[in-house]
Amino acid sequence: MDSHVNDKCLRSKLVARDAVEDSPKNQDFAWPIKGLKLLFEVKLEEESTIWEGYVNWKKKPATKGQHGGMLAASFVLVVEVMESLAFLACGCNLVVYLLHYMHYSPSEAANNVTNFMGTAFLLALLGGFLSDAFFITYKIYLMSALVEFLGLAILTTQSHSSWLMPPECNPTGPCEQVNGAKAAILFVGLYATALGVGCIKGCLPAHGAQQFDETTINGRIQLATFFNYFVFCLSFGALLAVTLVVWIEDNKGWDWGLGIATLTILLSIPVFLAGSGYYKIKVPSGSPLTTIFMVLIGAIVNRSMPQNDTEQQQTVTKDDIDQTQTLTLSPNLKFLNNAAVNKPAYDFLNNCSTKQVEDVKIILQLLPIFGCTIMLNCCIAQLSTFSIQQAASMNTKIGSLNVPPASLPAFPVIFIIFLAPLYDHIIIPVARKVTKSEMGVSHLQRIGVGLLLSVLAMAIAALVEIKRKRIATRSGLEQQEPLPITFLWVSFQYLFLGSADLFTLAGSLEFFYTETPETMKSLATSLSFVSLAMGYYLSTVIVSIVNGVTGMFGHRGWLSGENLNHFHLERFYWLMCILSALNFLFYLYCAKRYKYQSKGASF
């Protein structure tokens, strides 16, 4: 019996040994073992090559090496050129269209333009919210491009059909302003376009930024390059809009110009779809606004409850290694810690996690920086309104070439097109060597340079207007012919504000994207465009307030009347210069107190 058992054990050992050593006479045992081992190794390899939290356009897991990277982002950059051309072909010359074809007064036309542009950029918040909460950025772009196409198609149809336009001006009487159903068509087309543009602005930059790996130094450097070239492509599309398309609008008709914009945004859809096989797309993780409201409401309602001081353990992924990180409630914005109490004040409330509270703190700490960029964009709003009207009253010829006033934005965009590659390939590498840091120039430093340039731009704008008014006074303030002064004087304020826009927009896009939690990146990136919206709205408010205050007691308002020569535009520009200087000082205070959250952002 014992001998039989020993022989059986010996045979088992020999079989096991042969299976491990892959003996030919035990292939039936060796192959299953090797197969399981191979399957296990393949499974590990697959998991290590998958982008966690990302899918491809077919909703299957995105894989490293196949999805993401600069190739995928380059489709986004091409689409941005086309989208920028379509939007600005409508927006940059809109004040002239409203003045001469829809017969609005100069101030009404200016306010309608700023309201349209402001709404378009404000709706970026909607695009960012939908991308983070419900839909992937891929779908948001496709839906938004179709909406913008429909809006531009409506405007094109109206500009082509004389019966949808107000009657031409009668030389013996006042012009009839667009009204009724014709005005309704105009505003439906404008604000459908604004809706499409806004949602694109809220999803497209984030979609491009998603293609890079922020956990590596190379990925972060590529991300910074992407945002620089995103502004470059935006400017290149704008250059085509303010030169080629504006010339077509002025010489061939608005229906031709708007038709080009309509066709361009339509063609951007197949271009975007061509990159589908290369995109990695962030999976929506729920509404970030819900988290923000939960924390704010919890902080208010639970203010009388004892705070939860316990630490929370959370598993995070870092360089493909699972690590356990201890999260504690930070002392800054301490009132929000009330949202993480052990037991809420009311049973229907859920206590918030430490991570939720800390994520909301990050968002709130960004808001002062966001607020400081609004004044810069208020200055930029003048380039679409009063600056164009200034140029229209001046000699717009360069030699024998008659330059449309709406083409003035070509000056800053040409400068941006030149400066963006120079900044990325020369200035930043030198700055990295000098500062021995990953960024070279920090996000907040870039934004600060832009804000300072806006102060100088408004001072220059005031001085140029003083010079223009002196010549207008000598020529007669009622003079309707172009004044004997070249419009190139106005280009200086365009150059300074264009430079300011490059530094601040590229810096703020990257700043808001990299500093915020994963669940809020699209929403946070849209803040850069929401700042533009608030700047345009603030411009409308300041113009109204200035006219109201300066027009009291029977005086003519600084910005009222039919003739720009009767305006006190130089005083308005000095006011903007002072407000910009105060804003810059406040920014320095906020930037000094801010502590970076992302890797490689600080020195």
Side-chain angles (χ1 to χ4, degrees), residues 537-554:
Y537 285 135
L538 181 60
S539 174
T540 301
V541 171
I542 291 178
V543 168
S544 299
I545 292 175
V546 166
N547 270 338
V549 173
T550 58
M552 296 172 63
F553 309 113

Side-chain angles (χ1 to χ4, degrees), residues 428-488:
I428 285 297
V430 171
R432 287 189 182 117
K433 292 181 180 179
V434 172
T435 60
K436 300 186 185 304
S437 65
E438 181 181 312
M439 292 297 298
V441 178
S442 71
H443 307 135
L444 293 179
Q445 287 173 337
R446 293 186 67 176
I447 296 172
V449 170
L451 297 183
L452 180 60
L453 288 173
S454 71
V455 178
L456 299 176
M458 287 295 97
I460 290 172
L463 294 174
V464 169
E465 177 60 11
I466 290 173
K467 181 178 181 65
R468 192 196 72 84
K469 283 286 291 290
R470 286 175 180 170
I471 295 176
T473 301
R474 290 199 299 265
S475 303
L477 293 177
E478 302 300 330
Q479 176 74 10
Q480 296 297 324
E481 296 296 324
L483 298 172
I485 176 176
T486 178
F487 78 115
L488 293 177

